Amino acid sequence: MTGFEVAYIALDGTELRRPPPEVRAVPFEHALPVRAFASYRRQRNLPGLWWSATTGGHVGYQSWLERDHVMLLDFDPAVGLAVAGGVR
């Protein structure tokens, strides 16, 4: 995969960009979100938080489609982690 990078925000607030093979061991559950989950009147999408049994905490979503994916991941026994907004 030439030219493809994963960008994420480290705990110290710096944005890091690495090729996919170099991020296999990165604990994304500890990374900061790369985008905010904004909410305002007359918003066309419906952001929110899903409490995940898999992670034991909330996972943010920016649309009901994202929420549905988070819900499906939460019920899949093969999934060990679900994070939202952690990479781009």
Side-chain angles (χ1 to χ4, degrees):
M1 293 186 152
T2 307
F4 182 76
E5 290 183 323
V6 176
Y8 61 98
I9 308 295
L11 286 177
D12 63 2
T14 58
E15 181 174 329
L16 302 172
R17 294 177 176 272
R18 303 282 185 267
E22 292 182 21
V23 297
R24 289 186 181 150
V26 173
F28 289 114
E29 65 272 23
H30 299 301
L32 300 173
V34 294
R35 65 184 191 271
F37 293 94
S39 181
Y40 52 89
R41 284 181 66 154
R42 296 187 185 107
Q43 188 170 345
R44 295 182 71 146
N45 61 326
L46 299 166
L49 296 171
W50 169 263
W51 190 88
S52 170
T54 301
T55 64
H58 286 103
V59 177
Y61 58 86
Q62 290 188 331
S63 69
W64 281 5
L65 179 62
E66 270 189 12
R67 182 208 57 191
D68 291 350
H69 287 151
V70 170
M71 288 170 58
L72 289 171
L73 289 170
D74 201 22
F75 284 97
D76 186 341
V79 173
L81 176 65
V83 295
V87 297
R88 74 173 143 204

